[in-house]
Amino acid sequence: MTAVSFLKKWCIGILVLSCVLYAWVLSRTQSVYIGKSFYFLVCATEHVEADTLDIRLDGGAGYPLQGTGVALAVYLKAEEGLAVQTGLAEQGQKLSLIKRSVEYLHFKTRADKKNASLYTGALDSLYGFLQVLSGEITRLDKGATQQSTKRTLQTLSRLFSYHKEEYERAYPAYARLCESVEGQFKELTADTVFVNDLRYLLCELAVGYLELAEEFSI
């Protein structure tokens, strides 16, 4: 047997073994469909700091999205992102609408399977908070009063505070995100609320959601 022939058979054997192991893992995995997508409106740039400042001055999030550029905003519905992208394209701005999704949570260990409903419940709540914040951004952008916006943000802050304590032991990663966001809401509502700050926070929460879900990927 030549060295090339042996190497070829060895590679095929490794591939077959990998497929068998992957199938075995899948057979022992509990999968839960969540089907969530986020649409980041992104400016590709080599000058992140300078462009981030310009974007924020124009009311955008200015959120550095790893590996892609600087996000102006994130949307929970594709049509909303496409509408903004089209409008800005007509003004000569070249932007990309980048979709990041999570379809399933995969629970592999006995402990994760036991806590599956807890994890999915936390992520469902987090997505609900994202929807509320997204709606408040739209309201503020259209002229909502500072008082009404602050009331909504203060309610969200209390909810994140409650979740921080509720999940501190059972779901520490989620509790840490809640703690971080609660503090940011308190800072935002202590002074004038600017829409670019809310857009940045929404981007941060969307990325946080995706990172939490990534922990249950295959």
Side-chain angles (χ1 to χ4, degrees):
M1 181 184 296
T2 66
V4 173
S5 177
F6 174 80
L7 182 61
K8 183 178 180 181
K9 288 188 176 182
W10 182 81
C11 290
I12 292 174
I14 291 295
L15 179 61
V16 170
L17 179 60
S18 298
C19 291
V20 170
L21 288 173
Y22 183 73
W24 181 80
V25 169
L26 283 179
S27 70
R28 299 176 63 85
T29 297
Q30 177 184 340
S31 299
V32 177
Y33 178 77
I34 56 174
K36 296 294 187 295
S37 296
F38 302 93
Y39 303 87
F40 293 88
L41 190 60
V42 174
C43 170
T45 178
E46 296 179 357
H47 310 287
V48 174
E49 290 186 7
D51 286 338
T52 295
L53 179 59
D54 289 341
I55 288 169
R56 288 187 59 78
L57 288 173
D58 287 337
Y63 183 89
L65 194 63
Q66 187 174 8
T68 58
V70 179
L72 282 72
V74 63
Y75 301 93
L76 306 184
K77 296 180 180 178
E79 55 267 28
E80 293 177 352
L82 287 169
V84 176
Q85 181 188 30
T86 300
L88 292 175
E90 292 173 352
Q91 300 175 23
Q93 297 189 44
K94 295 181 179 180
L95 304 169
S96 301
L97 192 65
I98 296 176
K99 178 182 177 181
R100 292 194 174 174
S101 302
V102 53
E103 295 297 316
Y104 288 89
L105 301 181
H106 301 284
F107 303 108
K108 299 178 282 293
T109 68
R110 182 178 299 179
D112 285 348
K113 291 174 185 178
K114 180 180 178 181
N115 292 317
S117 59
L118 180 144
Y119 298 136
T120 55
L123 288 173
D124 283 344
S125 295
L126 178 56
Y127 189 80
F129 300 156
L130 280 156
Q131 290 176 307
V132 173
L133 182 56
S134 178
E136 200 55 39
I137 290 171
T138 301
R139 288 186 65 252
L140 186 59
D141 211 25
K142 292 183 177 180
T145 65
Q146 286 284 310
Q147 290 78 6
S148 65
T149 293
K150 285 184 178 182
R151 282 196 295 271
T152 300
L153 299 183
Q154 287 163 353
T155 298
L156 283 172
S157 180
R158 288 192 293 270
L159 288 168
F160 276 110
S161 178
Y162 171 76
H163 275 226
K164 175 192 68 177
E165 297 178 3
E166 186 74 8
Y167 289 92
E168 186 174 10
R169 301 183 72 176
Y171 196 179
Y174 175 61
R176 287 192 295 271
L177 176 63
C178 290
E179 182 177 16
S180 171
V181 173
E182 177 201 4
Q184 292 183 64
F185 274 121
K186 287 180 178 178
E187 291 181 10
L188 288 173
T189 54
D191 205 340
T192 303
V193 180
F194 295 102
V195 72
N196 59 349
D197 291 328
L198 298 187
R199 289 190 173 116
Y200 186 99
L201 185 52
L202 187 62
C203 287
E204 185 175 326
L205 280 170
V207 170
Y209 182 103
L210 290 165
E211 289 177 346
L212 288 170
E214 179 67 22
E215 292 298 316
F216 303 109
S217 64
I218 292 180

